[in-house]
Amino acid sequence: MRPGQRTALRDAALGVAIALGQAPLGLWPVALAGLALALWRMASAPTPGAAFRRGWLIGAGHFAFALSWIVQPFFVDPWRHGWMAPFAILGIAFGLGLFWGAAGWLARRLGGGAVTVALAWSGAELARGLVLTGFPWALPGHIWTETPLVQTAALIGANGLTAATLLALAAPLAWGRRGLAVPALVLAVAGGWSWHRLSLPEPAAPGGVVRLVQPDIAQSLKWDPDEARANFDILLALSADAPADLIVWPETAVPFLLNEGQGAALAMAAVAGGTPLAAGIQRVEGDLGWNSLAVIGPGGSITPVFDKIHLVPFGEYVPFGDWAYETFGLRAFAAQTGAAYAAGTTRNAVALSPRTGLALPVICYEAIFPEELIAAPRADWLLQITNDAWFGTLTGPYQHLAQARLRAVELGLPLVRVANTGVSLVTDARGRTVTDLHGAPALLPLGARGTLDVSLPGPLPATPYARIGDWPLALLLLAGLVLAGLVRLRRDGA
């Protein structure tokens, strides 16, 4: 191999090392070493173009490994869609890697060292969660999700964890031994805050009991019309005789379109025996359809509670599909012609049952966007319904779970997570798994079929992050980059 090719492979391998810190591996010491080396690689690049290439390749390696689960949906029906898998993983790896490359380019353009790279990199990750509907998955700050230090997210959020980590690693690279004081200070503050938060007494619980239903239906069978009745019967059987104030089924659990007071809705109401049953359904009006959460009440009544707002690009809708229909008459991609889901408009805290307080509904992929949950009305608990069967069984479901836990920590709210194939669980407002009515951990692992009956934990007061979000961080990062630019101008002028 040529020297340039060997260097490119080493940079990509460095990105893989960084990805080893993500769930479920959680090798954060390896990730920290990789992040430090990546900062040094970009900071020592001779030109902005070289810094871009290094950041881009490191990012591509990171995202190719961390997001390897992205190929799983194409193998649900491999003979039809399997050929797309290589293009999907390469596209997302090198596409998202552009954010890391841009950070390296900007930092070297400003003439800064490792600290400037850390500022630009943190800003790029913040932007990655917003640009083109955003995809804030596998952030460097997510390496802390399985450690006590994750409690720091209640102060600064996931993006703040990323910035604190990168700046702490950059300081010794920039200032040598004097810079070691920065990571020591960051560790002391994060550790002290985490210890304090974990030692606080538990808040008062509302007293309501929720049954989580995990049917464990394979994705290849989920929409098979010949299996629809059998799948539905599994859900009904798991919902019978629930000692609960609310029963919850996962995302798109119902394999039929419901008619109020008839058929499947009536069967759901009968098995619930008067207990409200919140279920993931598909709701249709005319040519529009929604991925929704609804409550089935006595007599098979149906109350639409929430329509999913943040849809998955190309999975649940095609960007500009409605525009293509209105402009060119192309129907195949338009939500308004029944070819995709339509987006909901409002996220409210809702009472799903008289005894369970106010829930903030989140459907699947929406759990990775903290800014959208911060903007919603304050609730008593988070409810995530999801179908992680799309994500395979290796890394995707665990990374998704880690992000849902992180939302609980950031907001100071308990989390009820109900998944088709797992992992379903209930956490307290600090992201810790609670116990069910039998004293066992309130968690159903991946690939298990069963139920959990759990008393809802109580919420904590709104956290600092829940009050202020990422705006202070964005302003600080921008100020730091502006300062680096002014220093560069002054140096060049001298």
Side-chain angles (χ1 to χ4, degrees):
M1 298 177 67
R2 296 178 181 178
Q5 293 173 324
R6 289 196 295 269
T7 300
L9 281 177
R10 282 197 294 267
D11 283 335
L14 183 54
V16 172
I18 295 170
L20 294 176
Q22 301 291 323
L25 298 175
L27 300 177
W28 57 266
V30 177
L32 288 178
L35 289 167
L37 284 172
L39 286 165
W40 175 77
R41 285 286 294 160
M42 286 187 269
S44 63
T47 65
F52 172 85
R53 287 191 295 274
R54 292 179 182 184
W56 185 37
L57 290 168
I58 293 168
H62 169 78
F63 292 114
F65 188 84
L67 304 181
S68 57
W69 54 266
I70 204 76
V71 304
Q72 293 294 328
F74 300 101
F75 292 112
V76 171
D77 188 354
W79 300 110
R80 291 181 62 189
H81 304 126
W83 65 272
M84 301 180 189
F87 300 99
I89 190 64
L90 291 174
I92 200 166
F94 284 97
L96 295 180
L98 291 171
F99 285 91
W100 291 20
W105 178 88
L106 176 61
R108 294 305 296 139
R109 193 79 177 84
L110 295 174
V115 172
T116 308
V117 173
L119 291 169
W121 193 348
S122 300
E125 289 295 82
L126 186 59
R128 183 162 66 86
L130 302 171
V131 174
L132 298 177
T133 77
F135 192 62
W137 197 294
L139 297 174
H142 288 162
I143 66 174
W144 304 114
T145 55
E146 304 304 310
T147 75
L149 295 182
V150 72
Q151 300 301 319
T152 312
L155 290 174
I156 58 177
N159 286 301
L161 289 177
T162 292
T165 301
L166 293 176
L167 288 168
L169 293 171
L173 294 175
W175 303 315
R177 290 184 178 180
R178 291 178 301 164
L180 291 173
V182 175
L185 178 62
V186 169
L187 182 60
V189 171
W193 165 262
S194 299
W195 175 84
H196 165 72
R197 193 163 189 265
L198 290 171
S199 67
L200 292 173
E202 286 299 314
V209 175
V210 178
R211 167 166 287 191
L212 289 65
V213 174
Q214 181 170 300
D216 189 37
I217 296 169
Q219 190 59 43
S220 59
L221 302 177
K222 184 173 172 61
W223 299 117
D224 185 337
D226 295 331
E227 298 292 331
R229 184 53 196 255
N231 293 341
F232 187 62
D233 286 344
I234 289 170
L235 289 156
L236 292 177
L238 292 172
S239 304
D241 303 319
D245 302 294
L246 176 68
I247 302 169
V248 185
W249 291 5
E251 179 190 16
T252 58
V254 182
F256 317 110
L257 294 178
L258 295 181
N259 294 310
E260 193 161 33
Q262 303 177 34
L266 198 59
M268 294 165 72
V271 79
T275 300
L277 195 161
I281 69 167
Q282 295 183 96
R283 188 172 70 84
V284 173
E285 292 181 10
D287 286 331
L288 292 178
W290 292 267
N291 184 354
S292 302
L293 173 69
V295 174
I296 312 303
S301 61
I302 304 172
T303 305
V305 171
F306 174 68
D307 297 322
K308 187 176 182 185
I309 296 171
H310 205 131
L311 302 176
V312 180
F314 302 103
E316 294 176 313
Y317 83 105
V318 175
F320 307 110
D322 284 338
W323 173 82
Y325 170 65
E326 293 166 0
T327 306
F328 304 108
L330 297 176
R331 302 174 59 88
F333 308 123
Q336 60 187 289
T337 63
Y341 284 126
T345 57
T346 306
R347 193 187 306 277
N348 285 323
V350 293
L352 302 175
S353 167
R355 294 197 57 207
T356 55
L358 295 177
L360 186 63
V362 179
I363 298 181
C364 196
Y365 170 78
E366 293 183 309
I368 71 173
F369 300 100
E371 70 281 355
E372 296 183 10
L373 304 188
I374 289 172
R378 183 75 176 170
D380 299 308
W381 52 289
L382 290 171
L383 171 61
Q384 184 197 20
I385 60 171
T386 186
N387 176 27
D388 283 354
W390 286 110
F391 295 169
T393 59
L394 296 177
T395 59
Y398 297 106
Q399 292 173 8
H400 200 206
L401 169 64
Q403 294 206 50
R405 282 182 184 269
L406 189 54
R407 301 292 87 81
V409 175
E410 289 172 337
L411 298 178
L413 294 177
L415 167 71
V416 175
R417 185 177 197 266
V418 186
N420 170 25
T421 56
V423 176
S424 299
L425 85 169
V426 179
T427 78
D428 65 13
R430 301 176 181 93
R432 301 174 297 188
T433 303
V434 301
T435 56
D436 64 14
L437 295 185
H438 306 290
L443 183 148
L444 286 168
L446 201 65
R449 176 176 294 166
T451 63
L452 292 170
D453 296 319
V454 187
S455 293
L456 280 174
L460 291 168
T463 64
Y465 181 72
R467 296 190 188 101
I468 62 177
D470 287 319
W471 282 107
L473 174 65
L475 293 174
L476 286 172
L477 294 175
L478 180 60
L481 291 171
V482 169
L483 179 61
L486 293 175
V487 170
R488 168 67 184 271
L489 288 174
R490 183 176 179 182
R491 186 171 62 241
D492 291 349

